[in-house]
Amino acid sequence: MSAKPRVAIHKFASCSGCQLAFVNMGAELIELTKLVDIAHMAEVGHVLSEDEDMDIAFVEGSITTPHDVERLKKIREHSRFLITMGACATSGGIQALRNNADTAEWMRSVYAKPEFIHSLSSSGAIANYVKVDFELWGCPVSVRQMLAAVRAFLFGVTPPNLREKVCQECKRRGNNCILVTQGAACMGPVTRTGCGALCPSFGAPCYTCYGPAENINVGSFGRRLMGLGLSQEQVLRKFASINNAAPAFSDAAKLFCSEPWMEE
């Protein structure tokens, strides 16, 4: 009987929430282990050298230090497929807000001896440094999408890249639109689906944890939010959040930084 494909889960700068999503699969995790051998996952105590060859490497977290870059390149070299999981790995995460600041000045103000801190001036997505075979968005990542990605790669096909809007998920679930009915600043019209419209289903506005959807018009949507009473700065902050460094949201933040953007 042939050995099962080997899977590794690697962590960089992150909160470990996507790894915890793996751990919290429950019965689905047992089903996954029937298909693959989870050979490396420090979160649960399985630690191997990053020189070990893997069939699939999941990477959580953003790149923030020179050492991260070295590690990542080694992981890529020894992995047949590399999949980023979560907002940090796919777009730089909430920590990418540092990209808009003077990192050197920030370190001088925080650390007594900043010369001992070896850090990059930005927090970058994994794809900025190595080839990525597939991206799983979310904060945290969807367990359903992780399992689907593994199964797809094991069968030699590329998983579907779902980029439709959360609004479409709401319609399938029969949710009333809280942006229309409550005047809530819901980001569903510009956010990709994957969460199952979790927050709107409980009456809470979407807050972009799955990153930008396809074909979004940030200028028009920003005008709609300002029509609900949000200030220009509040609209900017809606985009400058978990996936702030994703190009579509980064461009939106720059747009709403301009003064004045809209007539009073």
Side-chain angles (χ1 to χ4, degrees):
M1 182 176 180
S2 61
K4 291 185 288 186
R6 305 179 82 202
V7 170
I9 297 95
H10 299 280
K11 172 183 165 61
F12 289 88
S14 64
C15 70
S16 298
C18 291
Q19 289 191 82
L20 288 176
F22 244 110
V23 175
N24 291 332
M25 280 186 192
E28 291 175 314
L29 180 59
I30 296 175
E31 290 301 311
L32 179 61
T33 58
K34 293 178 181 178
L35 299 174
V36 300
D37 173 22
I38 300 178
H40 172 88
M41 186 178 185
E43 190 79 10
V44 296
H46 296 321
V47 180
L48 294 178
S49 167
E50 289 166 353
D51 290 328
E52 294 274 347
D53 290 334
M54 297 290 165
D55 292 284
I56 300 175
F58 283 94
V59 179
E60 174 195 61
S62 64
I63 302 303
T64 59
T65 70
H67 179 59
D68 286 348
V69 178
E70 294 175 9
R71 282 186 57 212
L72 179 60
K73 289 181 177 178
K74 185 182 294 184
I75 291 167
R76 172 70 272 189
E77 181 183 352
H78 291 278
S79 303
R80 183 181 176 197
F81 299 112
L82 189 148
I83 303 173
T84 56
M85 60 176 187
C88 297
T90 53
S91 72
I94 194 72
Q95 56 268 33
L97 289 169
R98 68 188 278 189
N99 302 354
N100 302 315
D102 184 335
T103 304
E105 176 59 31
W106 175 78
M107 286 196 294
R108 285 193 295 270
S109 66
V110 173
Y111 297 102
K113 294 185 179 293
E115 63 270 21
F116 292 108
I117 306 298
H118 301 291
S119 177
L120 299 174
S121 61
S122 63
S123 172
I126 299 302
N128 292 353
Y129 298 91
V130 297
K131 177 180 178 289
V132 171
D133 296 295
F134 194 69
E135 295 178 333
L136 290 170
W137 293 75
C139 185
V141 71
S142 161
V143 169
R144 174 176 55 84
Q145 290 183 328
M146 283 194 295
L147 290 171
V150 170
R151 289 180 181 275
F153 277 115
L154 292 182
F155 281 100
V157 298
T158 302
N161 183 17
L162 303 178
R163 298 182 60 203
E164 65 180 17
K165 300 171 178 65
V166 171
C167 298
Q168 291 166 273
E169 195 88 61
C170 274
K171 286 179 170 58
R172 285 194 289 268
R173 297 191 60 156
N175 296 339
N176 290 325
C177 177
I178 60 174
L179 188 149
V180 173
T181 62
Q182 301 178 26
C186 181
M187 299 296 284
V190 294
T191 303
R192 74 165 64 201
T193 186
C195 62
L198 180 62
C199 294
S201 296
F202 287 91
C206 167
Y207 55 94
T208 76
C209 65
Y210 271 73
E214 60 185 351
N215 301 325
I216 60 175
N217 186 329
V218 295
S220 177
F221 184 64
R223 185 178 292 108
R224 180 72 177 93
L225 294 180
M226 293 174 77
L228 295 175
L230 273 67
S231 68
Q232 186 168 316
E233 181 180 357
Q234 287 173 320
V235 173
L236 184 155
R237 289 178 179 273
K238 285 288 184 179
F239 288 100
S241 182
I242 298 167
N243 287 287
N244 66 89
F249 286 174
S250 176
D251 291 345
K254 292 174 184 175
L255 172 64
F256 295 111
C257 275
S258 61
E259 292 287 353
W261 181 75
M262 180 176 166
E263 294 290 335
E264 293 292 337

